[in-house]
Amino acid sequence: MAGDERRLQILRIAMRLFSQRGFRGTTTKEIALAAGVSEAMVFRHFANKEALYSAILDQKACVHDTLDPRLAVAEAIARKDDRAVFEGIALEALNQHDCDPEFQRLLLHSALEEHDLAHMFWEKFVRRVYRSLGNYISERQREGAIVEVEPAVVVRAFIGMVMHHSLNNNLWDRKRSLLKISNQVAAREFAGILLNGIAARGKVGTPIRSFKAAAKRFAVKNAVKGHRNGSQKKSENRGERDRVNESFRTAQTYLFVSNYCGCGHGFDWLQPL
């Protein structure tokens, strides 16, 4: 095996072991044994374990250093498609985590061990995500498309959903027993939750509590209006009186349902009126 190939092989083996046991829990002897080479061969390519760890850092940092979250969704940003922006960034991150779960584990180990890898990744990549995505959010806030919330809070909420999902899949629940969905579905749903929230809303964006109040007003108003019309016309027509009485009964029924059962169907709840 050529020198460069051997060096890369040792790097890959070392990263796998470091991601499983951490920097302190892995020895160069174990790395050599897993790579099928002598420990002297490891030292021929890397002066010590620290140099080996730094080489992994440099390799991964170079990959992530070229990643700008806005580049992956440049077209969506240009057309100001917020859903496509957040969905695209989430999907890119989830796919990256699936392709390289060892690096995710390595980052966690390095953070716990307070190694430079975690600090460098934070400075070179995480801060960039906050800055670039935060700038986009600020721009859309000025245009009135996104509510006035601290952009960093929005970014953290968004990254939190994506990262927690990845950690569950790659560390705690590899069989996906708790939640088994594709990255495409996860990205779409996370973007939807971020942009729309989870409070029940109707067709015009009115909270469900407003529907309840509106239903009460509408039912009573309809009943009273029907009664007045019947009184003004002084109709003796039995069908007219029945219609007015039915309006009152309908109002009473909706008020009862609203008070004791709640309102759970949005505008559909008003259709019988």
Side-chain angles (χ1 to χ4, degrees), residues 181-195:
I181 57 176
S182 67
N183 287 344
Q184 289 81 2
V185 172
R188 184 182 68 238
E189 296 300 329
F190 292 156
I193 290 171
L194 181 76
L195 294 173

Side-chain angles (χ1 to χ4, degrees), residues 5-149:
E5 293 178 351
R6 177 66 71 187
R7 185 177 189 277
L8 184 59
Q9 180 211 17
I10 294 172
L11 271 179
R12 289 172 177 168
I13 295 295
M15 188 175 73
R16 176 168 59 82
L17 295 180
F18 284 144
S19 70
Q20 293 173 349
R21 308 172 189 175
F23 177 73
R24 296 171 186 167
T26 305
T27 65
T28 52
K29 186 175 183 179
E30 291 171 332
I31 294 171
L33 182 63
V37 298
S38 65
E39 192 173 9
M41 177 64 72
V42 174
F43 289 133
R44 181 180 301 177
H45 291 279
F46 306 96
N48 49 42
K49 189 171 70 169
E50 184 71 32
L52 180 56
Y53 201 71
S54 296
I56 296 173
L57 164 64
D58 291 340
Q59 183 190 44
K60 291 298 180 180
C62 286
V63 172
H64 289 279
D65 191 49
T66 61
L67 295 179
D68 186 331
R70 296 184 58 156
L71 293 179
V73 291
E75 293 184 3
I77 290 175
R79 64 176 185 269
K80 299 180 180 180
D81 186 341
D82 298 331
R83 178 174 287 275
V85 169
F86 286 101
E87 186 174 334
I89 291 176
L91 182 58
E92 182 76 14
L94 292 173
N95 287 340
Q96 180 63 37
H97 296 160
D98 279 357
C99 290
D100 197 3
E102 288 182 349
F103 185 58
Q104 190 177 45
R105 294 174 61 91
L106 189 62
L107 283 173
L108 293 176
H109 276 296
S110 65
L112 292 172
E113 295 176 343
E114 298 183 351
H115 194 275
D116 288 342
L117 171 62
H119 177 70
M120 182 175 291
F121 185 79
W122 173 267
E123 291 295 329
K124 287 192 172 184
F125 183 71
V126 179
R127 283 189 180 277
R128 179 185 301 161
V129 172
Y130 269 80
R131 183 173 59 253
S132 59
L133 192 52
N135 288 341
Y136 174 77
I137 293 169
S138 296
E139 180 182 344
R140 297 295 284 147
Q141 286 176 331
R142 289 191 294 271
E143 295 170 348
I146 295 179
V147 297
E148 290 296 329
V149 181

Side-chain angles (χ1 to χ4, degrees), residues 151-175:
V153 173
V154 180
V155 176
R156 178 156 295 187
F158 178 62
I159 293 177
M161 288 189 287
V162 175
M163 287 301 301
H164 182 71
H165 184 70
S166 288
L167 288 173
N168 269 285
N169 290 344
N170 295 333
L171 295 181
W172 304 314
D173 188 20
R174 296 180 187 178
K175 294 182 179 180

